[in-house]
Amino acid sequence: MVGGDEGWRSQSRVRDASLDSFIAHFVTAIRHGRAEDADRLARRTAISEIVTRGLQLHEELGAVPAESGVASLTDPAHPGILLTVATARAEATGSVDALERPLRDAARRLLAEQTASVAQRARNLSFAAFAMHLVGDEEAALRIAGRGAELILSIEPGVGSKELPEFAVAASDLAMVYVFSEQYLHAVRLWSWVRSQVADPREPALMQADWGLAIVGTIVGDQSLVAAFTRPALDPNRQELGSAVGRDPWWALVQAARIWAALDLIDPERALHITMHAVASTSASVLISPLGTAHAATLLALGRPEAAIGVLQALPDAARTLTGPDRGWRTTLLALAEAMRGGDISPLLRAPGLRSDPYLSDVLRSHAALISGDGDVTAALREDGRQRSVRATGLYAVVRAAAHLRLGNQAAALAELARVAEQVPGTGRSAWALLLPDADVQALRELARSADRPQLAEVLPERSAVIGAVRRVELTEREREVLALLQQGRTNAQIAGQLFISPNTVKFHVANILKRLGVASRDEAAALGVVDPPGRSAHTG
């Protein structure tokens, strides 16, 4: 395998050539009315790769004269054509609303189709799952993806099998459905299967597996998944990639990985620089959950929980966050943010994703108790033995370390810091400690130094994002609105325009906020980010 930046460029050239060939042959087949040929081409090409050329494909298909081409590009009987067209339209226009019915019909046909070919069944399941993803039915997409993953992972076709390419593209598309839903460990299993079965380094499915595992490995903190040649592209300190590729979901995923890499260096300012560039450069259609979640994590690391909650709630599928399938980091970050702003995390703990993971709920309860100084910090000390991602293990360990020290168990606190040092990739440091009260971080650092284990002090940041105790501040409704906008970086003029009040009135509210919070500047007020949530005060103003 070619290393460094050249490895990245080399694979990009091969991938581009493969996609150029697909588009040329697919559009030619459409232009000449050869629907069966176009459908077969789509079955052999991962939709998760086609999506990177959606705009180009949309324009080229639009130039095909209706009277000379395939009679219908949205016929559910040709799911390959339909999914290709829907993917292109989603990237070009940001919507597939007009195609929802044919996509759902195609999914039903694919699921009902009887075929003796296991590879074809796997491809049908991957097509159906991707169709449900495109129409926004995440629960159905994940349910179907589960069936497809179970089928693929239960067989070993062997390198050289004629059906292997179809299995590989099916696995690739199913993996991406999982990534879009932040179900990373399921995606890892599928891409690892592709990597174990496909030998040709020029095969697009293997390239996607390499990059998918590298991205997911960086997001979940497992560097064993990250191939050496992918690391330069994921380096948080590399020069920014151009915004011209902002419609490519893979570009957005690379940016999400770079954000997490910056947080692993405990450099939230760098993470914020990356996330602001990425969000500004990315079309709404690919502002996918991994990028939005990384953005929210960055705001939390900077001590801005209100802004983090705003980002999470603004994502396209936010309405399903608390009622849909387990979204992992999304629900966890919401609970961490709610605790950091002094709110009640109980409603989040009743969400399906957290109800299915009682220990995660216990960790979040302990975190909230550490922040508020009120409640049971011992909940996180009851481990359940389940295997978890490296990043999750880091969160649990720093919460347990602080809880043990609060209870006077210094040996156990040091053991948890040692666990973090072993788990955290590269730096041996945990950005999750930024979300602990600063007093706990300083106490843990002092404990490590006094125990003559200074390397464990380096696990922790020098300063937490949660300075001092949570303040239960009585602000008026208007003051809370102004503070929320301050935390989003708005100027007085912007706040005035959004709230339909004068700039002088904004200045008056800002002055009152600073006085009530006991801080000297608007930046300090925004960074504090811990006040009673809107609607809790009896006052209005």
Side-chain angles (χ1 to χ4, degrees):
M1 184 68 69
V2 182
D5 272 352
E6 181 53 36
W8 176 34
R9 288 193 291 267
S10 176
Q11 280 208 338
S12 295
R13 287 193 292 269
V14 175
R15 176 199 194 198
D16 287 344
S18 175
L19 287 170
D20 287 341
S21 175
F22 165 76
I23 291 174
H25 288 90
F26 182 83
V27 173
T28 297
I30 294 295
R31 187 182 299 276
H32 291 91
R34 302 198 306 268
E36 297 298 331
D37 290 347
D39 207 57
R40 277 193 295 271
L41 281 167
R43 291 190 71 92
R44 295 198 299 265
T45 308
I47 299 297
S48 48
E49 288 293 300
I50 295 171
V51 71
T52 65
R53 294 291 193 86
L55 185 59
Q56 175 191 350
L57 191 53
H58 182 73
E59 291 173 349
E60 294 200 24
L61 289 173
V64 175
E67 64 277 6
S68 64
V70 170
S72 173
L73 300 181
T74 61
D75 185 353
H78 293 122
I81 295 175
L82 173 59
L83 274 165
T84 301
V85 169
T87 298
R89 186 173 299 182
E91 293 309 299
T93 69
S95 172
V96 294
D97 290 348
L99 298 180
E100 179 169 355
R101 177 173 289 182
L103 283 168
R104 288 187 179 277
D105 287 346
R108 281 192 288 269
R109 284 171 173 256
L110 290 162
L111 294 175
E113 183 177 324
Q114 300 296 317
T115 174
S117 167
V118 179
Q120 189 172 337
R121 289 206 303 274
R123 192 61 177 132
N124 285 354
L125 288 166
S126 69
F127 267 173
F130 220 97
M132 291 298 93
H133 162 69
L134 286 172
V135 301
D137 191 341
E138 186 178 34
E139 290 189 53
L142 290 175
R143 186 169 59 252
I144 298 166
R147 291 172 55 188
E150 182 179 9
L151 177 62
I152 289 172
L153 296 173
S154 68
I155 58 175
E156 296 183 7
V159 175
S161 166
K162 291 182 179 180
E163 293 187 319
L164 180 58
E166 196 161 8
F167 279 123
V169 294
S172 298
D173 281 349
L174 291 170
M176 281 298 281
V177 169
Y178 279 124
V179 167
F180 288 144
S181 299
E182 297 179 280
Q183 305 288 306
Y184 297 121
L185 297 185
H186 294 295
V188 166
R189 293 172 64 206
L190 286 161
W191 275 323
S192 295
W193 182 90
V194 172
R195 185 184 270 180
S196 72
Q197 297 295 331
V198 179
D200 187 348
R202 298 166 298 178
E203 182 66 38
L206 181 57
M207 296 181 200
Q208 184 187 119
D210 284 339
W211 281 101
L213 288 171
I215 290 166
V216 169
T218 304
I219 290 174
V220 303
D222 186 352
Q223 289 296 304
S224 70
L225 299 173
V226 183
F229 79 93
T230 65
R231 288 192 173 123
L234 302 178
D235 183 352
N237 294 312
R238 74 172 287 125
Q239 185 176 359
E240 299 293 353
L241 301 178
S243 61
V245 289
R247 285 187 176 271
D248 182 347
W250 282 96
W251 181 86
L253 287 172
V254 167
Q255 304 318 303
R258 294 179 68 227
I259 292 165
W260 283 107
L263 291 175
D264 283 335
L265 296 172
I266 312 188
D267 190 353
E269 294 292 345
R270 180 60 187 166
L272 182 65
H273 175 80
I274 298 169
T275 191
M276 297 305 290
H277 171 78
V279 170
S281 304
T282 303
S283 67
S285 64
V286 295
L287 186 54
I288 51 181
S289 296
L291 178 56
T293 302
H295 187 182
T298 298
L299 293 170
L300 280 183
L302 291 167
R304 298 172 59 185
E306 295 278 2
I309 290 172
V311 168
L312 292 169
Q313 292 178 340
L315 289 174
D317 56 356
R320 294 192 297 277
T321 295
L322 301 182
T323 58
D326 181 11
R327 294 198 58 79
W329 291 120
R330 175 77 61 82
T331 312
T332 298
L333 289 176
L334 278 169
L336 292 168
E338 192 64 47
M340 287 175 68
R341 74 172 184 175
D344 179 11
I345 68 170
S346 298
L348 287 163
L349 298 182
R350 292 192 292 270
L354 294 186
R355 278 207 315 270
S356 66
D357 192 345
Y359 181 61
L360 175 55
S361 297
D362 286 344
V363 171
L364 295 173
R365 285 193 187 93
S366 288
H367 174 262
L370 290 168
I371 293 285
S372 67
D374 180 29
D376 181 14
V377 300
T378 67
L381 306 184
R382 300 185 288 270
E383 296 190 55
D384 63 0
R386 288 172 59 179
Q387 183 179 5
R388 301 177 187 279
S389 72
V390 174
R391 197 168 300 287
T393 300
L395 169 63
Y396 301 167
V398 296
V399 171
R400 283 195 300 266
H404 277 305
L405 192 55
R406 288 270 188 106
L407 297 170
N409 191 340
Q410 296 183 353
L414 288 170
E416 292 297 345
L417 291 183
R419 181 184 298 192
V420 175
E422 294 171 359
Q423 289 283 340
V424 177
T427 62
R429 305 175 76 192
S430 177
W432 290 120
L434 289 167
L435 311 190
L436 294 177
D438 191 58
D440 290 289
V441 172
Q442 301 309 323
L444 287 167
R445 288 175 64 87
E446 179 58 32
L447 170 65
R449 286 191 291 263
S450 65
D452 198 24
R453 300 179 72 179
Q455 73 279 11
L456 296 186
E458 296 305 311
V459 165
L460 304 166
E462 293 183 1
R463 191 174 180 85
S464 163
V466 185
I467 308 299
V470 173
R471 298 171 183 263
R472 298 282 183 174
V473 181
E474 285 291 334
L475 297 181
T476 67
E477 190 73 28
R478 180 64 82 190
E479 286 167 350
R480 285 195 297 278
E481 291 174 342
V482 171
L483 179 57
L485 293 172
L486 283 177
Q487 291 165 339
Q488 296 174 26
R490 306 293 175 82
T491 65
N492 282 0
Q494 290 171 329
I495 294 171
Q498 185 159 341
L499 299 181
F500 302 103
I501 57 179
S502 73
N504 284 336
T505 301
V506 174
K507 290 181 182 178
F508 172 78
H509 285 310
V510 170
N512 279 346
I513 290 169
L514 300 184
K515 182 177 178 180
R516 291 172 189 260
L517 294 181
V519 296
S521 70
R522 59 195 291 131
D523 288 339
E524 288 182 66
L528 184 62
V530 184
V531 296
D532 281 348
R536 289 199 176 185
S537 174
H539 303 288
T540 58

